[in-house]
Amino acid sequence: MENKIAIVSIMVYSAEAVEKVNATLHAYRNDILCRQGIPIKDRGVSVICIIMDAPITEINSLSGKLGMIDGVTSKVLTTK
C-alpha cells in the first residue's frame, strides 16, 4: 500500500488523557516524522500536531484511537 504524508491535529482537553495520548503516539512512533505540542493553559487545552509518512490505514487507525480517548479530538489532512 502506498504511503501518504499526513498532518494529524490533536486537541487534548483533559489532563487525565495525556498518558493515553502519549502511549498511543508511542505505538505509532515508526510512522511519525515530527511532533509538536503546545499547552494553552489559560484555555484548558493542549494542541499537538503530528506529521506522518504511512499507509492511510495506519494514519486513520491512529486518529481513530486518539478520538476514542475521553477528552481528545483528532482530525487528519492527507496528501492527494
Side-chain angles (χ1 to χ4, degrees), residues 7-25:
I7 300 168
V8 182
S9 300
I10 307 158
M11 300 280 192
V12 182
Y13 298 97
S14 167
E16 293 79 29
V18 171
E19 282 188 47
K20 291 179 183 178
V21 169
N22 284 329
T24 304
L25 293 175

Side-chain angles (χ1 to χ4, degrees), residues 9-78:
S9 300
I10 307 158
M11 300 280 192
V12 182
Y13 298 97
S14 167
E16 293 79 29
V18 171
E19 282 188 47
K20 291 179 183 178
V21 169
N22 284 329
T24 304
L25 293 175
H26 182 73
Y28 288 84
R29 67 190 175 278
N30 293 328
D31 296 322
I32 295 173
L33 300 175
C34 178
R35 171 183 175 172
Q36 181 178 15
I38 302 172
I40 307 171
K41 293 178 184 180
D42 62 327
R43 301 294 288 266
V45 65
S46 292
V47 179
I48 303 170
C49 179
I50 303 293
I51 299 174
M52 297 181 72
D53 182 2
I56 193 68
T57 54
E58 289 295 302
I59 296 165
N60 288 336
S61 175
L62 171 62
S63 183
K65 287 178 182 179
L66 290 168
M68 291 190 303
I69 301 171
D70 286 336
V72 177
T73 59
S74 175
K75 300 290 180 184
V76 174
L77 177 65
T78 61

